[in-house]
C-alpha cells in the first residue's frame, strides 16, 4: 500500500515488485510500483494540506519534530533490523550508523529550526522573509535509505512544506516504516505522502507534476539529468546530489599507516556503497610502494559475513546490477 492523505491506501493500478534480501537473494516483501495516477493522488493531498500546514507556527513544527524524534527512538531497533534485511548492511553497522542518522539529523534540524529567523531586516532596510516553498517531491536512493529520507523530509516539514516521497524500490521497507513513525507522531493528513515506484514512471510523474513546486533528488547523474529535464517544463526548483569521485591525497609527511588504513576501510564501509567512499588515493611518489603494501594488507584483512551477525565485517552489495 501507499501512504496518502494520512492513510495506507491500495494502489490504483497494482504492479507487484519483489524486494530482495541481498544476503540470501530471497524475496522478503512485495510492493507495488506506483502509476502516474497514484502520484496525482499524493500531490493533490499534499497541495490541499499545504494551505494550513504552511501557516503553522515555528513552535508548532518544533513540537511536531520532537514527537517524531520520540517515536523514532522507540522504534529504533526495528528500523535497524529492516535496513539490515533490505540493504544487507550488517546489523552492528545498521544500528550504529544507518539507523543512528535518523536521530542525529533530527536533533540537528531541531537546533537549526530553533535558530531560524523567518523574518529579518537587512542592513539596507529591506525585509527578508523566508516562506515555505510549497509541495516538495523527494526521490531518495537505496545506499543510505533512512539518512536520505531524513535529510529531505525533515527540513521540508520543519519549514512548513508538504511532501511526496518516492524511495528507492530496492529499499522501500525502511521508508514505509518511517511513514508509520510519522503517522504515529501525529503528522497532519496530507503533509507527508509516500508512493513506491521506479524512476521512469513514478519518479518522472513526480518530477513533471505541475503542482509540485520543488524536486530534490539523490542518485546517479543519469537519473539527475532526467529529473532536471522532467522538471523544466514547469520551471520548478530542483536540487540534485549526484555521482562523483572522492580522492584521498597523501603526502610523505602524513601518518601514512593510519591514513591508508582509514582510507581503505572508508572505501569498504557499507560495502563500498557510499557517496563519500574514498575510492582513489593520490600519493606522493616517494611513499607509493609503501602505500601499496599497506592498502593491500588492509584490504585483505576486511572480512565479509552474514549481515544478521554482529561484528565489523561487511555484507553484500545491494543487487546483481550494482
Amino acid at each position: 500500500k501507499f501512504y496518502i492523505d494520512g492513510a495506507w491506501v491500495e494502489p490504483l493500478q497494482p504492479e507487484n515488485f519483489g524486494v530482495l534480501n541481498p544476503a540470501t537473494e530471497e524475496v522478503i516483501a512485495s510492493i507495488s510500483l506506483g502509476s502516474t495516477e497514484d502520484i496525482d493522488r499524493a500531490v493533490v493531498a499534499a497541495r490541499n494540506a499545504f494551505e494550513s500546514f504552511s501557516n503553522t507556527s515555528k513552535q508548532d513544527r518544533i513540537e511536531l519534530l520532537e514527537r517524531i524524534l520520540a517515536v523514532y527512538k522507540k522504534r529504533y531497533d526495528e528500523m535497524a533490523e529492516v535496513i539490515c534485511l533490505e540493504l544487507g548492511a550488517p546489523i552492528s553497522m545498521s544500528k550504529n550508523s544507518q539507523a543512528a542518522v535518523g536521530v542525529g539529523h533530527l536533533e540537528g534540524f531541531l537546533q537549526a529550526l530553533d535558530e531560524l529567523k523567518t523574518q529579518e531586516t537587512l542592513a539596507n532596510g529591506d525585509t527578508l522573509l523566508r516562506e515555505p516553498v510549497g509541495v516538495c517531491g523527494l526521490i531518495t536512493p537505496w545506499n543510505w535509505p533512512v539518512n536520505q529520507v531524513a535529510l529531505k523530509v525533515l527540513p521540508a516539514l520543519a519549514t512548513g512544506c508538504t511532501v511526496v516521497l518516492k524511495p528507492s524500490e530496492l529499499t522501500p521497507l525502511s521508508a514505509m516504516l518511517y511513514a508509520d513513525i510519522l503517522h504515529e507522531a501525529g503528522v497532519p493528513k496530507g503533509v507527508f505522502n509516500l508512493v513506491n515506484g521506479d524512476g521512469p514512471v513514478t519518479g518522472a510523474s513526480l518530477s513533471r507534476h505541475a503542482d509540485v513546486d520543488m524536486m530534490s533528488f539523490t542518485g546517479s547523474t543519469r537519473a539527475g539529468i532526467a529529473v532536471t529535464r522532467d522538471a523544466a517544463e514547469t520551471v520548478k526548483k530542483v536540487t540534485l546530489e549526484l555521482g562523483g569521485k572522492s580522492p584521498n591525497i597523501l603526502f610523505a609527511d602524513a601518518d601514512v599507516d593510519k591514513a591508508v588504513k582509514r582510507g581503505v576501510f572508508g572505501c569498504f564501509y557499507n560495502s563500498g556503497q557510499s557517496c563519500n567512499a574514498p575510492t582513489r588515493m593520490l600519493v606522493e611518489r616517494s611513499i607509493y610502494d609503501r602505500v601499496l603494501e599497506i592498502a593491500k594488507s588492509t584490504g585483505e584483512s576486511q572480512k565479509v559475513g552474514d549481515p544478521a551477525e554482529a561484528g565489523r565485517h561487511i555484507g553484500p552489495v545491494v543487487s546483481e546490477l550494482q
Side-chain angles (χ1 to χ4, degrees):
K1 294 185 177 182
F2 304 143
Y3 186 78
I4 297 175
D5 205 20
W8 291 101
V9 300
E10 296 286 350
L12 292 175
Q13 300 174 20
E15 184 181 345
N16 289 346
F17 179 87
V19 180
L20 299 182
N21 176 341
T24 65
E25 296 186 335
E26 294 176 350
V27 175
I28 54 172
S30 181
I31 62 168
S32 187
L33 302 180
S35 64
T36 298
E37 291 75 19
D38 291 310
I39 288 293
D40 285 340
R41 269 200 302 179
V43 173
V44 167
R47 174 57 61 196
N48 290 339
F50 178 71
E51 183 175 352
S52 58
F53 190 66
S54 62
N55 286 308
T56 55
S57 69
K58 185 170 82 168
Q59 185 57 39
D60 287 339
R61 298 195 295 276
I62 287 174
E63 291 172 3
L64 177 61
L65 293 186
E66 287 172 341
R67 294 199 303 273
I68 295 171
L69 180 59
V71 177
Y72 187 92
K73 286 181 175 179
K74 185 179 72 172
R75 304 187 70 174
Y76 186 96
D77 287 345
E78 187 180 352
M79 181 62 78
E81 290 165 6
V82 166
I83 295 172
C84 177
L85 276 174
E86 67 179 359
L87 178 62
I91 189 62
S92 297
M93 184 262 190
S94 191
K95 285 183 176 180
N96 296 334
S97 299
Q98 288 279 4
V101 293
V103 174
H105 290 321
L106 184 39
E107 291 175 340
F109 286 130
L110 273 166
Q111 180 181 349
L113 180 57
D114 185 54
E115 298 170 356
L116 178 69
K117 294 180 180 179
T118 56
Q119 183 173 331
E120 57 184 303
T121 302
L122 303 180
N124 64 357
D126 288 348
T127 298
L128 175 65
L129 185 64
R130 295 183 174 90
E131 298 179 325
V133 169
V135 176
C136 298
L138 314 177
I139 301 177
T140 56
W142 49 265
N143 61 333
W144 284 85
V146 169
N147 182 69
Q148 297 297 341
V149 168
L151 283 173
K152 296 183 191 298
V153 170
L154 294 173
L157 301 187
T159 51
C161 297
T162 59
V163 306
V164 177
L165 170 67
K166 190 211 84 65
S168 168
E169 64 272 29
L170 298 181
T171 55
L173 307 182
S174 52
M176 296 172 79
L177 175 56
Y178 203 79
D180 214 35
I181 289 169
L182 297 185
H183 182 86
E184 186 177 340
V187 172
K189 290 182 178 181
V191 169
F192 171 86
N193 305 273
L194 179 148
V195 178
N196 285 316
D198 60 10
V201 176
T202 320
S205 297
L206 187 59
S207 302
R208 293 182 188 127
H209 206 291
D211 281 334
V212 172
D213 300 290
M214 179 176 182
M215 286 299 302
S216 176
F217 171 81
T218 300
S220 70
T221 302
R222 175 194 55 77
I225 292 169
V227 168
T228 304
R229 285 175 173 161
D230 287 336
E233 289 189 11
T234 48
V235 200
K236 55 173 61 74
K237 294 176 181 288
V238 177
T239 301
L240 306 173
E241 180 192 5
L242 308 178
K245 276 294 179 185
S246 319
N248 283 334
I249 302 177
L250 271 65
F251 292 101
D253 61 349
D255 185 335
V256 176
D257 280 26
K258 182 178 179 181
V260 176
K261 288 177 181 177
R262 185 174 59 209
V264 172
F265 281 128
C267 188
F268 276 71
Y269 195 64
N270 199 35
S271 299
Q273 302 172 130
S274 296
C275 58
N276 61 347
T279 48
R280 293 186 292 164
M281 283 186 184
L282 308 182
V283 180
E284 190 172 343
R285 189 172 301 279
S286 63
I287 57 171
Y288 183 78
D289 291 339
R290 184 177 161 204
V291 167
L292 280 184
E293 292 176 5
I294 300 168
K296 181 175 184 290
S297 62
T298 305
E300 289 175 342
S301 74
Q302 176 69 71
K303 304 299 183 185
V304 180
D306 184 350
E309 295 179 1
R312 294 176 60 85
H313 54 281
I314 62 173
V317 292
V318 73
S319 68
E320 184 178 4
L321 177 64
Q322 292 301 324

